[in-house]
């Protein structure tokens, strides 16, 4: 049993979808569970639908949803040759459900409606891909992951109920492989015990695949991307990046924690728990070796690891009564960050102030400032970048920070972080 995950970039065009089918065909007689993301930028477009709906701009939301519907129907028709395939009825059912949501009045929290609407993307892509695979001679079974992944009701960042989900995998997934070698399902989404759709966090399809790999005791998990494998930095931001042929679980967790967009941060633990190797390979050239992530890799062979997080905000929280920022006050501040789901990327505290770097989220920052206003003064600076370098080499950090103002810096034996203006 192997678990494959294909992201939106692998489904951006007809040609790429055909490449995905060719990859699957190159693994004959192997049991594969395939996790698929929404096509291209569909998730971004569905987010606009959710935002418009919640702002009660119903006509705009309906038009945006109609545009997404036409795009998917056109892709399906090009792949399948006509609209006689039963998948078109399935697609219509999905859009009808979304239209029902748009017909409601938004009386619940935004995150709830976000999940009901944005989860549509994965359902559409997997239905189309399953139908296309069948037409291409790749026998497969389509599976609605919402019938398998049981979660809590933390909308937009749901937590898996592992015990219930394991039972569902045993009862609903494993039997499918008795009749077919390939099962196609969705990443990123799940369902509460009230059958309400949830999402597992942005870019959560990697994690979905890891959950399946763990519960199926898979031989391996492979994430198919549009790059050769993992690199020491984002090639879109830095020239002369270096391929990393192998790397440890712990190092990838560190990279993800610091903001590298390589692997979803929650992906590693389910794999590490059962020592399941994770491969990152190119769907553009499946014969390239890619990167393997597993335990016990010597870090001495690694090049400098560079991570740059853009659109950062520096918050400086100062006590109004000049009382020290000690453990009890830090605990109060932390509690508010936790309540608002604000992740701290870098922090420092002085006698009467606490400074931290966070992702720029104006709505959450406004709520935070209101919550802390009575006891603290808050200053914030926008438009910053957080640079992280692990295994720094002489001159590299200074070169990357050249002509920039350093607002905060932290160092350890391995890692240096600078908040840059």
């Amino acid at each position: 049993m192997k678990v494959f995950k294909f992201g939106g970039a692998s489904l951006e065009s007809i040609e790429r979808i055909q490449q995905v089918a060719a990859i699957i065909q190159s693994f004959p007689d192997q049991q594969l569970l395939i996790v698929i993301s929404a096509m291209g930028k569909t998730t971004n477009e569905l987010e606009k639908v959710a935002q418009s709906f919640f702002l009660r701009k119903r006509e705009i939301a309906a038009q945006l949803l109609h545009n997404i519907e036409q795009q998917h129907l056109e892709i399906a028709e090009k792949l399948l040759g006509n609209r006689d395939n039963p998948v078109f009825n399935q697609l219509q059912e999905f859009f009808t459900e979304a239209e029902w949501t748009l017909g409601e009045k938004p009386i619940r929290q935004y995150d709830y409606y976000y999940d009901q609407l944005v989860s549509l993307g994965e359902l559409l892509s997997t239905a189309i891909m399953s139908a296309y695979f069948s037409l291409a001679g790749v026998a497969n079974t389509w599976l609605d992951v919402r019938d398998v992944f049981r979660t809590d009701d933390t909308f937009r960042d749901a937590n898996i109920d592992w015990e219930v989900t394991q039972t569902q995998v045993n009862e609903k997934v494993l039997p499918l492989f008795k009749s077919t070698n390939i099962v196609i399902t969705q990443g990123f989404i799940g369902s509460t015990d009230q059958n309400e759709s949830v999402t597992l966090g942005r870019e959560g399809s990697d994690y979905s695949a890891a959950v399946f790999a763990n519960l199926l005791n898979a031989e391996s998990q492979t994430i198919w991307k549009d790059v050769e494998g993992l690199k020491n930095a984002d090639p879109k931001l830095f020239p002369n990046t270096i391929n990393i042929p192998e790397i440890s679980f712990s190092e990838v967790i560190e990279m993800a924690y610091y903001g590298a967009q390589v692997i979803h941060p929650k992906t590693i633990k389910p794999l590490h728990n059962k020592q399941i190797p994770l491969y990152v390979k190119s769907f553009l050239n499946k014969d390239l070796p890619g990167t393997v992530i597993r335990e016990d890799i010597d870090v001495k062979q690694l090049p400098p690891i560079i991570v740059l997080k853009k659109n950062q905000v520096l918050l400086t929280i100062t006590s109004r009564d000049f009382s020290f920022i000690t453990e009890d006050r830090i605990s109060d501040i932390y509690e508010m960050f936790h309540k608002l789901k604000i992740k701290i990327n870098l922090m420092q505290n002085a006698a009467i102030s606490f400074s931290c770097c966070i992702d720029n989220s104006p709505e959450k920052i406004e709520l935070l400032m209101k919550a802390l206003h009575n006891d603290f003064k808050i200053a914030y600076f926008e438009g910053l970048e957080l640079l992280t370098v692990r295994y720094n080499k002489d001159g590299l950090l200074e070169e990357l920070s050249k002509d920039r103002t350093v607002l905060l810096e932290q160092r350890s034996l391995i890692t240096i972080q600078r908040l840059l203006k």
Side-chain angles (χ1 to χ4, degrees):
M1 173 77 66
K2 293 178 178 169
V3 175
F4 286 177
K5 180 261 177 175
F6 291 93
S10 64
L11 312 176
E12 278 185 337
S13 66
I14 299 297
E15 292 73 25
R16 288 193 169 188
I17 291 172
Q18 291 169 338
Q19 284 179 312
V20 170
I23 290 172
I24 301 306
Q25 288 172 321
S26 69
F27 290 87
D29 303 321
Q30 292 198 33
Q31 291 186 338
L32 304 176
L33 184 132
I34 303 172
V35 173
I36 294 178
S37 301
M39 290 184 170
K41 302 298 182 182
T42 300
T43 300
N44 295 339
E45 297 304 313
L46 285 166
E47 287 177 338
K48 295 175 184 176
V49 174
Q51 291 162 3
S52 298
F53 163 75
F54 198 72
L55 294 172
R56 298 180 184 269
K57 298 178 180 178
R58 193 164 297 174
E59 291 184 4
I60 295 176
Q63 183 59 54
L64 291 170
L65 182 64
H66 176 73
N67 294 343
I68 294 169
E69 180 177 10
Q70 293 308 305
Q71 291 166 3
H72 282 78
L73 292 177
E74 289 173 9
I75 291 171
E77 187 171 7
K78 288 179 180 177
L79 286 169
L80 302 173
N82 56 59
R83 297 199 178 187
D84 294 334
N85 193 291
V87 75
F88 286 93
N89 293 329
Q90 187 180 16
L91 298 178
Q92 189 57 61
E93 290 174 4
F94 293 145
F95 281 108
T96 298
E97 289 180 15
E99 289 164 2
W100 286 344
T101 299
L102 296 185
E104 301 177 11
K105 291 182 179 179
I107 57 175
R108 299 180 63 168
Q109 291 185 336
Y110 171 73
D111 288 354
Y112 166 79
Y113 294 107
Y114 177 100
D115 281 3
Q116 308 319 300
L117 292 165
V118 175
S119 58
L120 175 65
E122 277 67 20
L123 296 169
L124 298 172
S125 64
T126 53
I128 292 172
M129 291 297 289
S130 176
Y132 174 63
F133 279 13
S134 296
L135 188 68
V138 181
N140 70 91
T141 301
W142 181 87
L143 172 70
D144 189 335
V145 76
R146 296 175 299 177
D147 294 332
V148 180
F149 279 13
R150 175 67 55 80
T151 74
D152 62 11
D153 60 358
T154 306
F155 295 102
R156 293 189 72 180
D157 194 18
N159 299 294
I160 298 285
D161 183 327
W162 285 85
E163 184 176 350
V164 174
T165 302
Q166 177 72 76
T167 299
Q168 305 273 47
V169 166
N170 293 343
E171 295 178 354
K172 298 181 178 181
V173 181
L174 285 173
L176 298 177
F177 287 99
K178 294 178 181 179
S179 57
T180 180
N181 279 335
I182 296 175
V183 173
I184 295 177
T185 193
Q186 305 79 38
F188 181 52
I189 66 177
S191 177
T192 70
D193 58 6
Q194 299 299 311
N195 291 323
E196 296 172 319
S197 296
V198 296
T199 62
L200 307 179
R202 198 68 159 83
E203 307 294 338
S205 293
D206 290 353
Y207 177 56
S208 297
V211 172
F212 270 119
N214 177 288
L215 298 179
L216 290 166
N217 294 307
E219 171 190 334
S220 65
Q221 175 181 334
T222 302
I223 296 175
W224 296 89
K225 301 173 73 73
D226 57 354
V227 294
E228 296 176 28
L230 293 191
K231 294 178 177 288
N232 71 317
D234 186 342
K236 297 175 183 175
L237 301 176
F238 298 95
N240 306 317
T241 55
I242 302 170
N243 290 324
I244 302 175
E246 56 181 5
I247 192 169
S248 68
F249 285 127
S250 59
E251 191 62 41
V252 171
I253 289 175
E254 293 288 340
M255 292 172 66
Y257 174 79
Y258 291 120
Q261 301 297 310
V262 287
I263 306 292
H264 189 279
K266 293 193 293 187
T267 302
I268 299 302
K269 189 175 187 306
L271 301 175
H272 178 267
N273 286 352
K274 292 190 174 178
Q275 292 299 302
I276 299 169
L278 173 61
Y279 295 88
V280 180
K281 295 186 60 101
S282 171
F283 63 77
L284 298 174
N285 187 346
K286 66 179 180 60
D287 295 324
L288 292 174
T291 300
V292 60
I293 303 166
R294 54 182 175 82
E295 200 55 89
D296 300 327
I297 300 295
D298 184 2
V299 297
K300 293 179 181 178
Q301 65 181 328
L302 290 176
I305 306 294
I306 305 166
V307 180
L308 185 68
K309 280 181 73 74
K310 297 191 174 187
N311 198 23
Q312 298 294 289
V313 173
L314 173 63
L315 295 180
T316 299
I317 302 169
T318 306
S319 57
R320 291 186 179 276
D321 60 1
F322 284 82
S323 60
F324 289 132
I325 302 290
T326 51
E327 290 83 356
D328 57 340
R329 306 217 80 181
I330 289 178
S331 177
D332 293 338
I333 295 170
Y334 263 48
E335 178 63 27
M336 192 52 60
F337 276 82
H338 174 71
K339 183 177 180 180
L340 295 174
K341 299 180 182 177
I342 300 175
K343 178 181 178 293
I344 297 174
N345 299 322
L346 180 70
M347 59 184 172
Q348 285 186 3
N349 68 287
I352 61 171
S353 67
F354 173 85
S355 296
C356 62
C357 167
I358 63 173
D359 296 340
N360 191 2
S361 176
E363 303 87 356
K364 291 184 178 181
I365 292 173
E366 182 179 355
L367 291 173
L368 180 71
M369 294 177 71
K370 287 180 179 178
L372 298 177
H373 174 76
N374 289 337
D375 298 322
F376 302 95
K377 294 183 292 184
I378 302 179
Y380 72 97
F381 304 90
E382 299 177 301
L384 308 179
E385 296 181 345
L386 180 59
L387 174 68
T388 302
V389 178
R390 289 172 64 78
Y391 313 110
N392 183 45
K393 290 187 176 178
D394 291 342
L396 175 61
L397 183 67
E398 300 309 319
E399 176 65 25
L400 295 174
S401 306
K402 187 171 60 178
D403 301 326
R404 307 289 297 275
T405 301
V406 180
L407 301 181
L408 276 181
E409 179 175 299
Q410 284 189 1
R411 289 175 177 257
S412 70
L413 290 175
I414 294 175
T415 306
I416 306 172
Q417 291 188 280
R418 283 182 172 180
L419 187 60
L420 304 174
K421 180 179 178 181

